[in-house]
Amino acid sequence: MYKTIWNYISKHSKKSSTASVFLPVLVLEWTVLGLFTGTLICLFLHNTMALVKATIVLCSGGYAGLIFGFLGGIFYIYKDAASLPHTATGLYNHQNTHLS
């Protein structure tokens, strides 16, 4: 799912702003899914107070957005960035070759 969203966003935005658009879209998507899931859970809770139901809905949306959206998006971006060649290491090795 993350790769599909990343590819769609990178196709419709500039390369420099893909990560800036990717994270908020993921957070929003997972928050909406969490709110929907919390609402479905509350449908089965018949004898509970409204405050408890509101807490369930808001916590499920907030935690889903934070954990799966934000942190999942950061780990996805980090995984892609970690697979790229590191230019800083290449510069360091290139600069020290003339010392030999």
Side-chain angles (χ1 to χ4, degrees), residues 3-99:
K3 186 172 185 162
T4 304
I5 295 171
W6 179 268
N7 290 337
Y8 181 79
I9 291 172
S10 65
K11 187 168 84 171
H12 295 291
S13 67
K14 295 179 183 177
K15 186 177 181 180
S16 62
S17 65
T18 301
S20 301
V21 175
F22 179 69
L23 280 178
V25 167
L26 273 183
V27 170
L28 184 63
E29 176 189 355
W30 279 104
T31 302
V32 169
L33 287 172
L35 290 172
F36 181 70
T37 304
T39 304
L40 285 177
I41 291 170
C42 286
L43 290 176
F44 297 109
L45 302 174
H46 299 292
N47 297 327
T48 56
M49 295 174 36
L51 182 62
V52 173
K53 290 182 179 181
T55 303
I56 290 171
V57 171
L58 293 176
C59 285
S60 64
Y63 282 121
L66 178 69
I67 295 169
F68 298 115
F70 187 69
L71 295 178
I74 288 175
F75 287 139
Y76 181 81
I77 292 170
Y78 176 75
K79 179 185 65 99
D80 280 352
S83 65
L84 295 174
H86 295 288
T87 56
T89 310
L91 286 174
Y92 178 76
N93 290 336
H94 177 70
Q95 290 172 350
N96 288 334
T97 55
H98 71 282
L99 297 175

